[in-house]
Each structure stands twice: as structure tokens, then as C-alpha cells.
Amino acid sequence: MRTPLLRFSATPLRRRLRGAFGAAVLAGALLVGAAAVPASAAPAAAPAVAAATELPPDGDTVASPPGANDWSCRPSAAHPDPVVLVHGTFANRYENWLTLSPLLKGLGYCVFALDYGTAPGITSTGSGLLLPIGGLGAVPASAVQLAHFVDLVRTATGAAKVDIVGHSQGGMLPNYYLKFLGGASKVDKLIGLAPSNHGTTLDGITKLAPYFPGVADLIYTVCQACRDQAVGSDFNATMASRPDTVPGVHYTVISTVYDEVVTPWRTQFLNGPDVDNEVLQDHCPVALAEHVAIAFSPTALHLVTNALDPAHATPVFCG
């Protein structure tokens, strides 16, 4: 098979999932009250381009996941599009892509991963390291950062287009880039793992917002992206003002029935002429991965590699 069987060290993975689960729980708390607070202002300006002598070109000092951000990488004929990995809310590029990044690098892809929407002083120890947590800023502003990063990747590699793989907010945010920031001409495929494409009710907990408006105001000074992703937000109204997809981009959505963060889970699906909506359990009925663990699921990651290279897709591993 083209896609190798994924094997993990159990102890580091358990530690990673414990930290990620905590982040997911925190994300849930921060989503309370979205409907009670108005949406944010216009996107912030893109980060300044690093000087030509600086490495890495994105100017980011956060650790890259294994296999990512080799700025000397040149795409092969087999994989002509570099892959850009976009992490989720309360995550960072290192922790979110510890599994997928080295997998794709081993398959011959040029892999790049960015951090976006970070806030000073907010860090994570989910992987045992002290790293910034990202995905907190307003989604439109973070999409500007993604646009800047994609341009850096295209310039460095000489590629006309990139493929994007994102988790949670990171699977939805690129669609704003495609719809509103001219990204459609620079992206061939968008693959979302449990993406918040139409917002989330968090099992209805956002309906409590009117009862705690003061708390909601305090929360959203820390996580504007939480407000943006809640059902009923101005941001979601903006996204819904245009069709789910744009011509020329192929979309894949990979969801799990056990998602407890982006709910109802079927709202992750996209409608359009060039969309594959995949459910993890349709390929592996015994798969138990929820919202966080889907980024480490061998079945889900096999679906990712098949979506990146459909001409050489192989039977999906169940595990």
C-alpha cells in the first residue's frame, strides 16, 4: 500500500491527547455566549515579511512539527503542490501536526505549517513543552495571516498552488481565504478534519449566553475566534452570504460521529459540485476518535493522503 500503517508510541500520544482534550474542554467553555456579543472589527494587517536573510522565511520562532517547514524543499512531479497545515483553536502547529506532518514528508510532500492568532503569554504544555496557543484571534484576521503564509510557500517552492489540510477552525478558516481574500487561484485542494464550517452549538450550550453577558464579554477578549465560530455569529452570517465552495477547488471534509466540539457534527459538511464529505465510521465502524483525536487517527489520516492524491488512493486502513 502507498500509505504506510501508522504506528505510535502509546505514552507520548496519551500525553498529547490529555493536553489536547483539556484544550478542547477550554474551547467549549469559551464558546458559551456567542450569540450575545457582537462580532469583531475588520481583519488586522498581515504580518511583515521577514528579511531575506532571516530563517525561517515566515519569521516564526515556534517549533515546527517533524517534517515541516523545510524552506529548501522543492515539489516533485509526483506531488507538485506543497501542503500547508493549519491548526485549530487553542492549538499550535507543533502539537496539532506531530503525526500528519512526518507522514506526509515521508510520502514525498513538501510540508509547511504556520501558527496564527496567537496571544502573548498564553501557552500550552500538552506535549510537555511550553508553546504558544494559537487560533484565538478573529477568523478574518487569521485568514490574512494564512494568505501571507501561502504566498511565502509559493515563492519559496516555485509552486503555482498549494493544498491545505486543516483541523477544526483550521479546516474552516481557509474557506474564508478562498471566498473573500482571493485564495481560490492559489489552492488546489482543501481538506478539513472536523472543520467548523457552519459554526457550532456546542451541544446547545451557546444558548446560555443571554444569562451571562458579562462573562461572555470577558471570555471574548481572549478568544475572538470562539465568538466567530458559534452558530448565529456575524462571522457565520458573512460566510453564509456566499456559496459553501468556490469553483476550481476540490474540498474534502472528514468528520467523526463522536465530535463533541463542532456540533451537530453533520453541519461540518459542505454543499457544492466538487465536495467529498467523509465520515470516519463509514470506513472504520470501530473508530472512536472524537474532535481532538481525529487529527491522530490512522483512518482519518489515510483519508487525508487519499484526498491529496486521489489517483493513487488505496483501501482505507481501519484502526
Side-chain angles (χ1 to χ4, degrees), residues 172-228:
M172 171 277 295
L173 179 154
N175 210 15
Y176 183 93
Y177 165 55
L178 300 180
K179 288 183 178 186
F180 298 101
L181 300 181
S185 64
K186 303 174 184 179
V187 176
D188 185 40
K189 303 179 188 73
L190 171 57
I191 302 167
L193 290 160
S196 52
N197 283 323
H198 300 103
T200 174
T201 65
L202 207 76
D203 288 329
I205 199 169
T206 56
K207 296 176 183 177
L208 295 173
Y211 299 98
F212 305 102
V215 173
D217 286 337
L218 177 62
I219 287 172
Y220 293 131
T221 62
V222 178
C223 184
Q224 175 63 38
C226 298
R227 170 167 43 194
D228 288 346

Side-chain angles (χ1 to χ4, degrees), residues 253-268:
V253 175
I254 303 169
S255 303
T256 171
V257 301
Y258 298 114
D259 200 310
E260 79 287 19
V261 174
V262 179
T263 56
W265 63 268
R266 291 185 183 276
T267 61
Q268 299 170 19

Side-chain angles (χ1 to χ4, degrees), residues 278-290:
E278 304 279 2
V279 180
L280 195 63
Q281 287 73 23
D282 287 348
H283 298 271
C284 185
V286 299
L288 299 178
E290 40 67 71

